Amino acid sequence: MEDQLGALTTIFTEVYYWITVVFMFLIHVGFCMYEVGASRRKNMMHTLMKNTMVIPLVTVTFFYFGWYIYFGWNNGIPGIIGADATPYGLTDINWAAPWSPLMGNTLSSEGDGYWSHINGVFWAAFLLFSWTAASIVSGAVIERIRSGAFWLLAVLLGSFTWIIDAAWGWSPDGWMVQLLGYHDAYASGVIHAIAGGFALGVLIVLGPRIGKFRADGTPRNIVPHNPWLVTIGLFLIYTGFWGFYVACNIPIFNIGEAAGMEGAFYSTTNIYLAPTSTSAITLNFLMSLSGGLMMGYLVSKGDAFWTYSSGLGGVIAASAGNDLYHPIQAMFVAAVAVPIFYKMHGWVERTFKIDDAVGAVAVHGYAGVIGVVAAGFMLWGYPSSMYAEGTWGQAIITPWGQAAGAFIMFFVLGFAPAWIVSKILNAMGMLRIPERVEVAGLDLSEFHGRYLDEAEVDAAEEQEARNRGLI
């Protein structure tokens, strides 16, 4: 690194992202606890392992091609959309190709000194976003999907479709940012809307759990077997969301140099290189969480599950503009979003017989869409990015740009690929577990040896107690 200030900036940024990754790991811990608590006892182990194996499968595939897509496809899909305009090639993204020395333990004092320190932790931050996207779908489909089918879908979303939308709409020079004025600072659409749309595409093909709907079509409540696990899981997701928010920022960046200003001007920036501060997002995070919790309590009449979920949904709805909102605006957006996605969940469930076990489509998908569209009105006229087509400050946020972006996230990159792949898997008999297995329970079917041993041990303990005259 060329100078002391540059070295300190680079090393600080490296440690900064490493800490965010640790915090974001709690999101996955929370999702595992949440889903296990929401499932019934006969499906606990299957639910846990289904989501746990997202970690290695998405990690490996994201290393091989997901990271490259983010940098290589920001102006379109090569050979399909904007191929000639794509500024990078296979050999030019020397920090993102899986065979690159910068994807390993490489330190360089020249040229790539920055990337040799930053690449691994920056890659990991995006990887944890990938896990989050896949886990959102995981909760929606519990108790009836085959593990292999879910893992294939998780890789499709976590290492392919969501990182395409990040390249298009979550990069300062992505085509959606430059042409549509799309702005989504903390991923209302880029992660949550796409994951919610993806979950809906799978659920339509997968169908409801046995017993979910009565003969007249009205839904029954399938009660979580352990509400405490659900509660702790959701609070861990809240905690991990702090790391998520911070990871969406660049901690220190010389905006003055980048914008051609006289002298240096250092600031924290959002993903679009526009200035913000961790102080501002702290206020907005807590105010949007509070708005969501209060409104969730009111509309659900104090139902704990929907109160906690509405807190999360409120943060998600405000996230698109939480780098620029006033805290009262953040609370307002969150509070308004809750009754909309809460009512939409009930209406879709009753009308189309969609069995979303944890309300993921509503809390993530509908809330994410609401948040993206709301930002178009609340931030109309603001620059969506500091960078646009080689100049600074020209991409403007508009309602129509945000609406178009929300449609692309939810339907084009979320719902459509999930529905198509699910239809193929279903036609091959690979999507849903057999009816007899669902009735008996996935754990008894897949881990029967463990359960048979448990019954044998219980019987042996009882017999030993009888032999000793203890009972």
Side-chain angles (χ1 to χ4, degrees), residues 6 26 77 88 95 132 135 178 189 192 211 241 261 266 269 304-306 313 318 330 339 346 413:
L26 293 175
I77 299 175
Y88 303 113
W95 61 87
T132 298
S135 289
Q178 293 187 23
H192 298 283
F241 221 138
M261 298 164 53
Y266 287 93
T269 76
F305 177 84
W306 276 105
L413 292 175

Side-chain angles (χ1 to χ4, degrees), residues 6 65 76 87 104 126 141 173 190 201 217 243 288 304 312 314 332 336 358 378 383 385 421 445 457:
F65 52 83
F126 273 73
V141 299
D173 55 356
V190 172
S288 55
L312 182 60
F332 174 78
V336 169
V358 297
M378 302 287 283
S385 172
V421 173
S445 174
V457 168

